[in-house]
Amino acid sequence: MLNFNWQIPTKFIFGRGAESHAGEELKALGGTRALIHYGGGSVIRSGLMEKVTKSLDEAGVSYVLLGGAVPNPRDTKVYEGIDLARREKCDCVLAVGGGSAIDSAKAIAHGTVYDGDFWDFWCGRASVQKTLPLGCVLTLSATGSESSNSSVIMQESTHLKRGLATEFNRPKFALLNPEWTATLPPYQVACGATDIMAHVMERYFTNETHVTITDNLCEAVLKTVVEYAPIAVKNPADYDAQAEIMWAGTLAHNDTCGVGREGDWASHQIEHELSGLYDVAHGAGLAVVFPAWMRYTMRHNVMRFARFAVNVFGCEMDFERPEITALNGIERYESFLRSIGMPITFAELGAKAEDIPFLAKNVRRNPDGTTGHFVKLDTKAIEELLRIAVR
Ligand code: NZQ
Ligand code: ZN
């Protein structure tokens, strides 16, 4: 197990009525005027925004509203938010929505108190030194952005999607009421479940040994999603299923399952190129990339894939030929993705095989020029892997 240094500043308020704490939590952070950031309007239509603004009114925290964070959130909206927050003298930010609204709000919070261009942080030219206090009300269990150290923004002019990892990205509080996920289209529930599993699997497939505690935690989160995602996809209003998935989503990406080990993250880096180029849902892109990545890397550690097959999908262990078990696990994972309505091929996603060289060239690299850690991939390897997804 690797040494680690881990602190999550996020306060979680979970369950029915959680959104009614928004005002008092912002006030406790010293907030007097909030920029409330949301997406395309689902939170207005569901009635959530009315509850949230009432809570701020009651706490005496004034606010300005900024909608329009889109899936694969754009830098252009961030610039607009920074201007608005400065003009309106906002001293805190509240995101209401899914990962896109939260990620965009994180960028606005950093950019408002930075003299330069906020994109400096996302392209590695500068590191975040301060930010405005940020809280969130989550409406889609998927990205884990409600307590993750990450935020992913797309530069509209280039379609490049870039992630920033910094402790300043962790929200100060997250209000998690599964009731507000009832209005989700089943497709988004499925995309969310796929993303949650991917966050765990990026950590699960590691070269680190003696990480039994986090291996077991990973498997528990994965099994929970495999059990409850089909129920929630069938009926997004199933509170109990959504509650399980919501907490799984949070645990999957705040490093509860990742400390003491080195994660892989190649699938995420590759997927960001797909959702950047084709503007598809992140979870759907992962459903195409992750099984291909597994097939490509399986031979690197067959026993780990066999363990995944047995412990997550209940496959029978073939001790004579563990590669059969490993492959069986990948096939079960693919069937699971199909059963919840996810695409698993390039064509189903709307991606084009002729774009593979372009996609592979742009994938974000480690300092040594490769992508991923469990298996280090060069450009040729990324191309080969993506060709598996063409099928
Ligand atoms: O915009 P609105 O109208 O709210 O509609 C959204 C959007 O169309 C809708 N939606 C959300 N909650 C709803 C709802 N519709 C009805 N009822 C509700 N309760 O769902 C659609 C997708 O929303 P979005 O926020 O884009 O989805 P998600 O939460 O999956 O976020 C995806 C973004 O997060 C990034 C992804 O790359 C992508 O850009 N990620 C962020 C991470 C992080 N910050 O830690 C990690 C992830 O790996 C990921 O990369
Ligand atoms: Zn993800």
Side-chain angles (χ1 to χ4, degrees):
M1 195 185 292
L2 299 171
N3 292 353
F4 62 86
N5 187 335
W6 182 51
Q7 181 178 11
I8 298 195
T10 313
K11 173 178 179 180
F12 300 104
I13 300 182
F14 191 100
R16 292 184 169 91
E19 65 285 350
S20 67
H21 295 270
E24 74 199 37
E25 290 302 323
L26 287 171
K27 202 170 172 186
L29 294 170
T32 60
R33 184 158 177 77
L35 182 138
I36 303 182
H37 192 32
Y38 62 98
S42 71
V43 298
I44 311 270
R45 292 189 292 278
S46 68
L48 171 58
M49 188 59 88
E50 203 184 321
K51 303 251 185 210
V52 168
T53 51
K54 181 167 173 272
S55 154
L56 268 68
D57 288 337
E58 284 169 3
V61 177
S62 65
Y63 54 84
V64 282
L65 293 171
L66 176 67
V70 292
N72 306 313
R74 311 298 203 262
D75 60 343
T76 44
K77 181 54 71 176
V78 174
Y79 292 117
E80 189 187 331
I82 292 170
D83 282 348
L84 182 66
R86 286 181 181 160
R87 219 170 42 241
E88 293 286 339
K89 304 200 172 5
C90 296
D91 54 15
C92 58
V93 179
L94 180 69
V96 185
S100 296
I102 301 174
D103 282 6
S104 185
K106 289 176 179 179
I108 293 169
H110 306 337
T112 301
V113 290
Y114 177 60
D115 286 337
D117 178 351
F118 94 92
W119 189 251
D120 290 349
F121 302 134
W122 268 256
C123 68
R125 271 198 300 264
S127 59
V128 182
Q129 301 297 331
K130 57 181 174 175
T131 188
L132 290 178
L134 172 117
C136 62
V137 186
L138 185 68
T139 63
L140 168 47
S141 313
T143 63
S145 188
E146 63 273 16
S147 64
S148 78
N149 68 351
S150 157
S151 160
V152 189
I153 304 291
M154 192 218 281
Q155 191 176 45
E156 198 160 344
S157 58
T158 59
H159 271 247
L160 280 185
K161 232 181 127 178
R162 287 292 174 256
L164 168 73
T166 163
E167 291 308 304
F168 287 98
N169 274 337
R170 295 197 197 267
K172 293 277 184 279
F173 65 85
L175 308 181
L176 309 173
N177 177 353
E179 283 178 321
W180 296 109
T181 62
T183 51
L184 277 165
Y187 183 75
Q188 287 297 340
V189 178
C191 287
T194 305
D195 194 18
I196 294 169
M197 290 184 73
H199 293 155
V200 177
M201 285 150 56
E202 295 277 22
R203 294 171 166 95
Y204 186 78
F205 292 101
T206 181
N207 295 318
E208 201 52 45
T209 53
H210 299 292
V211 282
T212 308
I213 173 68
T214 39
D215 276 347
N216 290 343
L217 287 170
C218 286
E219 287 163 1
V221 175
L222 290 170
K223 282 196 322 201
T224 303
V225 178
V226 170
E227 181 174 350
Y228 288 102
I231 300 170
V233 168
K234 205 164 165 205
N235 177 17
D238 187 313
Y239 181 91
D240 295 329
Q242 292 282 23
E244 301 284 355
I245 294 170
M246 190 169 255
W247 192 236
T250 301
L251 295 181
H253 201 36
N254 66 13
D255 272 331
T256 300
C257 299
V259 289
R261 53 168 69 215
E262 184 181 46
D264 183 69
W265 299 105
S267 298
H268 263 75
Q269 299 297 3
I270 296 169
E271 193 294 318
H272 285 163
E273 297 312 314
L274 287 172
S275 49
L277 186 62
Y278 305 114
D279 208 5
V280 292
H282 170 63
L286 286 169
V288 171
V289 175
F290 225 112
W293 176 88
M294 291 173 109
R295 286 178 181 276
Y296 192 80
T297 61
M298 189 190 98
R299 270 167 194 83
H300 175 69
N301 187 344
V302 167
M303 289 311 288
R304 180 136 282 260
F305 280 91
R307 175 180 167 154
F308 169 83
V310 172
N311 289 357
V312 178
F313 281 103
C315 299
E316 202 175 316
M317 183 68 196
D318 185 334
F319 290 98
E320 302 279 296
R321 291 175 305 164
E323 65 279 7
I324 300 284
T325 312
L327 202 55
N328 195 220
I330 299 172
E331 286 162 357
R332 292 283 292 275
Y333 170 51
E334 289 169 342
S335 307
F336 168 79
L337 292 171
R338 281 210 182 287
S339 77
I340 59 170
M342 285 289 92
I344 63 165
T345 68
F346 246 53
E348 288 164 352
L349 188 69
K352 298 193 194 76
E354 61 262 35
D355 290 335
I356 286 178
F358 176 78
L359 290 161
K361 178 170 71 68
N362 283 338
V363 172
R364 196 158 194 180
R365 303 300 149 111
N366 304 320
D368 69 359
T370 63
T371 294
H373 297 281
F374 179 66
V375 175
K376 287 181 173 289
L377 307 170
D378 59 15
T379 305
K380 185 167 156 282
I382 296 170
E383 288 188 16
E384 285 169 6
L385 183 159
L386 284 173
R387 288 194 203 289
I388 297 176
V390 174
R391 290 168 197 252

